[in-house]
Amino acid sequence: MWLYSKHGFFSAAQHFDDANVIHARAQFKGDLERLCEAYGLEPHVEYTPDGDYSYRMNFPREVWAEIVKGEALAIDYPKVKPALHDGTKRDRAYLDVFYVMMNHRD
């Protein structure tokens, strides 16, 4: 699952060793911390500069499900791009992904 939200961009998959754990990853420093802060969770982020994602954290599956639900319920904007626009490197990356996907659509 890829999740783009006001808190950041996250890649989430089932943990290799434990089906009850979701392994969430982020490319930008602070995204996982910001997400945890929004949901009252203690961040335990691992920095992995040589990995395909620079930041990683595990969540119990049910906690991740509540986060995804919370992100869906928090949508308070009529258009995604303006809501995520913040002028940072993350903003440019979001737009790059949008244009790549748009240029490869059916």
Side-chain angles (χ1 to χ4, degrees):
M1 165 188 274
W2 282 351
L3 176 66
Y4 288 84
S5 78
K6 288 182 177 181
H7 297 110
F9 163 69
F10 309 96
S11 171
Q14 180 175 290
H15 193 279
F16 287 112
D17 300 323
D18 188 345
N20 294 314
V21 173
I22 298 299
H23 188 64
R25 300 163 295 208
Q27 295 290 18
F28 294 100
K29 185 176 183 177
D31 283 2
L32 285 163
E33 289 88 349
R34 198 170 24 267
L35 186 69
C36 287
E37 181 181 338
Y39 291 92
L41 302 170
E42 183 70 31
H44 298 284
V45 178
E46 179 185 356
Y47 178 55
T48 54
D50 296 326
D52 56 345
Y53 288 85
S54 297
Y55 304 93
R56 300 163 184 266
M57 185 174 162
N58 293 321
F59 294 87
R61 182 178 289 274
E62 293 303 318
V63 170
W64 182 256
E66 288 299 317
I67 289 170
V68 172
K69 178 181 176 183
E71 293 298 281
L73 293 173
I75 294 171
D76 60 355
Y77 44 84
K79 292 187 174 193
V80 174
K81 290 190 298 296
L84 299 180
H85 182 72
D86 64 3
T88 65
K89 227 163 69 165
R90 178 188 306 101
D91 179 37
R92 183 70 238 168
Y94 282 2
L95 286 174
D96 288 347
V97 171
F98 169 78
Y99 288 117
V100 166
M101 295 302 291
M102 185 178 75
N103 290 328
H104 288 86
R105 64 186 169 193
D106 291 339

